[in-house]
Amino acid sequence: MLEVSALINGLCWTVSLLVTWEVAALDLRLFVYLVLAGVLASGTTFLAPVPWVFGGFFVGLYIPMLLASLGYLGARGTYLFPLLLLYGAVVLRHAWGGWRFFQEQVTHERERHVLAERYRRAKVEAENALAEKSWFLAAASHDLRQPLHALGLTLEAARQRNANAEVAGLLD
């Protein structure tokens, strides 16, 4: 639907050729061609990322401009026709470059999302590993302190019950 709309839009711009065909001086006709060439260039910049929409606009504007050049500009049209062919090739090349640039940007954006998701997952994994390490150290610390504490209690109990002076030195 958009490509049909773009085709109609391009054709609407060429109405200016019909309106000025019989009544306009050559200077105005050349100006009309310059305006149409500018509109085509501008449309190329904005529509190139969507080739089928650009194609409709290009066909609707460029083909009538090209065909009308021979009759619309009189004898000068024979000189303008090859320039219009070259201009069309340049516009198509520019549109192709714009489309490629757009595709590269989309690819980079997708890669950025993938990298961001990998980073997020790695961060979660790192946070989980840190929590597990903290839990392990707390458990190991508790498990190591408990026998030492029990040993200290046992030693203190042995000191309190000891009546032998020889053993008291060892307990101290």
Side-chain angles (χ1 to χ4, degrees), residues 39-49 54 57-58 91-92 94-96 98:
V39 167
L40 182 59
S42 176
T44 302
T45 301
F46 293 104
L47 299 175
F54 166 73
F57 184 73
F58 180 81
V91 165
L92 287 174
H94 178 71
W96 181 72

Side-chain angles (χ1 to χ4, degrees), residues 79-137:
Y79 300 111
L80 187 59
F81 188 80
L83 290 175
L84 281 174
L85 286 174
L86 181 61
Y87 181 71
V90 168
V91 165
L92 287 174
R93 171 63 178 95
H94 178 71
W96 181 72
W99 177 78
R100 274 194 31 210
F101 177 76
F102 178 74
Q103 294 301 317
E104 289 172 4
Q105 294 305 309
V106 168
T107 300
H108 291 315
E109 185 65 17
R110 286 181 182 148
E111 290 171 356
R112 188 188 67 76
H113 280 289
V114 167
L115 289 174
E117 181 59 24
R118 284 184 192 164
Y119 172 78
R120 187 193 64 76
R121 287 181 189 161
K123 182 180 174 197
V124 167
E125 288 176 11
E127 289 171 349
N128 289 341
L130 182 64
E132 288 178 14
K133 180 193 81 162
S134 296
W135 176 84
F136 173 77
L137 289 176

